[in-house]
């Protein structure tokens, strides 16, 4: 990786960050808090949250094997994605490279930050080509985005391609692992020590079943995490979210059970959908959803929605003509889906 100073936006490298009241107070045995202009009533929500989410990081270290200095919490992964652009990319000058199709937020966030976004097409099996990715990179490329398992295709991205980019590119490689719990491949968090420019994103929104609390994660080398902490809002993860996440992380066996059940259901319903006369192809899935191609995706979408079942029509996405993206639900929900699909004339 290039020197971090060289990769950062110059205004970010020069930033002297805001320090909040709770940043300055470090531990000790404080009993009386008169430093932050809080209301003394309405405990415990009257207090600002721990800006460093210390307890949560310690608890997460136990299950992820990543040290607290290498963990960042955001208001969803979407905040982490936005921070990548704000921290590294000069608007109107720098660019980001990403696989296509993939999660739409990278492109939208690039546009919001006025950063050029270069899409490198996947092949017919939704796999990238390393040479094409490397050819799209130039001296102003700060970020390369992978999403594995990929949304909306559902498959793991070939690790040998990701590895080649990690070896050859001297900027930041972001790997979005929102669906990591549903695949048998290992997480790239295992390779954080080897690649100083690697940023791994995960989220509490999918396997953890907590999309409602808005909590996303970035894992990276401590120097990158430190800069992200300077740029984010001081109290970006609220008290209720921190408390709920802590509670859930301490009983993470539940998540393993849900994941197991969802993977089993995925294996049960994918072949049934594949055998429908109107279904052309069901794509391999390593996530909690799958992409299916139909003769007429719009007609199937309308049929399902008329019966109260909502899936995602991905037909307008590159390489995804006539496809629906279907999330794996409970056994009963999946039965309803199949039954309804089988009634499609
Ligand atoms: C769902 C999803 C996320 C999660 O975003 P949050 O802001 O954490 O809810 C991130 N990346 C991908 C690819 C997703 O599909």
């Amino acid at each position: 990786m290039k020197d971090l100073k060289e990769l950062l936006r110059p205004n970010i490298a020069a930033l002297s960050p805001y320090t909040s009241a709770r940043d300055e107070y470090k531990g000790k045995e404080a009993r009386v808090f008169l430093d932050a202009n809080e209301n003394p009533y309405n405990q415990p929500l009257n207090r600002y949250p721990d800006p460093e989410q210390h307890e949560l990081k310690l608890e997460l270290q136990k299950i992820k094997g990543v040290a607290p200095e290498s963990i960042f919490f955001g208001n969803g992964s979407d905040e982490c994605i936005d921070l990548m652009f704000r921290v590294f990319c000069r608007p109107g000058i720098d660019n980001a490279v990403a696989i296509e199709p993939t999660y739409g937020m990278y492109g939208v966030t690039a546009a919001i930050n006025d950063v050029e976004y270069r899409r490198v097409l996947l092949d017919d099996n939704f796999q990238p080509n390393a040479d094409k990715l490397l050819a799209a990179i130039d001296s102003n490329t700060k970020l390369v985005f992978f999403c594995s398992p990929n949304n909306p295709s559902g498959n793991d991205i070939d690790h040998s391609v990701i590895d080649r980019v990690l070896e050859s590119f001297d900027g930041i490689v972001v790997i979005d692992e929102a669906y990591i719990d549903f695949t048998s491949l290992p997480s790239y968090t295992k390779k954080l020590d080897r690649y100083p420019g690697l940023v791994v994103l995960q989220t509490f929104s999918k396997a953890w079943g907590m999309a409602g609390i808005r909590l996303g994660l970035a894992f990276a080398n401590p120097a990158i995490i430190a800069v992200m902490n300077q740029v984010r809002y001081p109290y970006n993860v609220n008290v209720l979210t921190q408390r709920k996440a802590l509670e859930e992380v301490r009983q993470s066996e539940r998540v393993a059970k849900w994941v197991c059940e969802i993977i089993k259901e995925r294996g049960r319903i994918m072949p049934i959908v594949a055998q429908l006369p109107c279904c052309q192809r069901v794509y391999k899935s390593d996530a909690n959803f799958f992409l299916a191609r139909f003769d007429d995706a719009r007609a199937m979408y309308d049929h399902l929605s008329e019966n109260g079942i909502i899936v995602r029509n991905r037909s307008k996405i590159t390489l995804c003509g006539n496809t629906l993206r279907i999330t794996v639900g409970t056994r009963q929900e999946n039965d309803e889906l199949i039954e309804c699909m089988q009634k499609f004339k």
Side-chain angles (χ1 to χ4, degrees):
M1 185 183 83
K2 279 186 193 138
D3 191 47
L4 185 59
K5 268 253 164 6
E6 213 183 309
L7 279 174
L8 294 172
R9 266 177 77 175
N11 63 313
I12 299 300
L15 194 68
S16 95
Y18 171 78
T19 54
S20 62
R22 290 298 128 80
D23 274 331
E24 284 182 15
Y25 150 74
K26 290 279 180 234
K28 284 164 244 127
E29 291 291 290
R31 289 172 298 109
V32 182
F33 289 95
L34 304 176
D35 59 339
N37 301 343
E38 296 152 338
N39 186 326
Y41 307 108
N42 201 28
Q43 301 261 3
L45 294 182
N46 62 329
R47 299 298 173 199
Y48 280 101
D50 171 9
E52 289 169 19
Q53 310 98 18
H54 193 63
E55 244 187 309
L56 190 52
K57 284 177 185 171
L58 285 177
E59 206 62 41
L60 203 70
Q61 177 179 28
K62 295 183 194 162
I63 56 173
K64 297 286 179 183
V66 178
E69 317 82 77
S70 283
I71 302 175
F72 174 91
F73 286 110
N75 189 320
S77 328
D78 291 343
E79 183 186 5
C80 305
I81 294 165
D82 186 52
L83 279 172
M84 291 294 104
F85 289 98
R86 291 166 64 206
V87 162
F88 292 108
C89 299
R90 291 169 296 177
I93 300 173
D94 291 329
N95 67 74
V97 167
I99 57 172
E100 172 73 13
T102 191
Y103 187 45
M105 279 304 285
Y106 317 139
V108 170
T109 311
I112 289 168
N113 286 285
D114 191 18
V115 171
E116 184 196 345
Y117 183 72
R118 301 181 172 179
R119 302 161 197 266
V120 178
L121 211 59
L122 298 174
D123 69 17
D124 291 342
N125 292 311
F126 295 113
Q127 288 298 342
N129 175 295
D131 294 321
K132 279 200 211 166
L133 280 164
L134 294 174
I137 292 170
D138 66 17
S139 59
N140 286 333
T141 303
K142 294 294 184 67
L143 308 170
V144 173
F145 279 93
F146 288 102
C147 179
S148 184
N150 190 32
N151 182 3
S153 53
N155 59 306
D156 288 317
I157 295 299
D158 187 347
H159 279 201
S160 69
V161 174
I162 299 176
D163 289 343
R164 239 191 94 197
V165 173
L166 280 167
E167 291 289 342
S168 324
F169 174 52
D170 56 7
I172 303 297
V173 177
V174 182
I175 306 177
D176 187 339
E177 295 187 336
Y179 301 98
I180 190 68
D181 301 88
F182 303 102
T183 175
S184 51
L185 290 187
S187 165
Y188 268 90
T189 52
K190 308 280 179 293
K191 297 194 174 176
L192 284 169
D193 289 338
R194 186 137 132 223
Y195 300 111
L198 170 61
V199 177
V200 178
L201 306 182
Q202 293 185 8
T203 178
F204 282 80
S205 296
K206 307 289 158 59
W208 286 88
M210 290 192 283
I213 72 168
R214 307 309 300 133
L215 189 61
L217 297 140
F219 301 104
N221 92 59
I224 292 178
I225 298 294
V227 182
M228 292 174 75
N229 278 324
Q230 292 180 0
V231 176
R232 67 174 167 92
Y233 290 165
Y235 303 110
N236 63 332
V237 182
N238 70 68
V239 170
L240 296 173
T241 293
Q242 289 194 41
R243 198 199 294 166
K244 185 64 191 169
L246 201 54
E247 193 184 299
E248 295 286 331
V249 170
R250 285 175 174 149
Q251 47 168 345
S252 58
E253 330 78 54
R254 296 199 324 160
V255 176
K257 279 200 198 114
W258 294 333
V259 167
C260 205
E261 189 57 37
I262 289 166
I263 291 174
K264 205 172 85 193
E265 278 294 289
R266 180 182 78 195
R268 179 175 77 89
I269 64 175
M270 282 175 62
I272 302 177
V273 174
Q275 277 165 19
L276 296 170
C278 60
C279 180
Q280 294 177 4
R281 180 167 177 189
V282 162
Y283 289 90
K284 173 176 178 288
S285 169
D286 303 293
N288 66 336
F289 63 87
F290 60 95
L291 193 70
R293 176 163 270 130
F294 293 88
D295 295 335
D296 185 347
R298 181 63 205 255
M300 177 58 91
Y301 178 89
D302 289 343
H303 169 72
L304 290 171
S305 71
E306 277 157 22
N307 288 280
I309 298 170
I310 311 300
V311 297
R312 195 87 199 267
N313 189 347
R314 299 283 72 188
S315 299
K316 289 191 180 129
I317 306 282
T318 323
L319 297 178
C320 299
N322 269 322
T323 61
L324 300 179
R325 192 193 68 190
I326 301 170
T327 308
V328 179
T330 63
R331 186 176 174 103
Q332 191 193 323
E333 288 170 332
N334 301 332
D335 281 343
E336 272 192 55
L337 170 86
I338 301 273
E339 203 183 307
C340 186
M341 280 183 148
Q342 286 171 338
K343 282 189 193 138
F344 178 80
K345 70 280 112 192

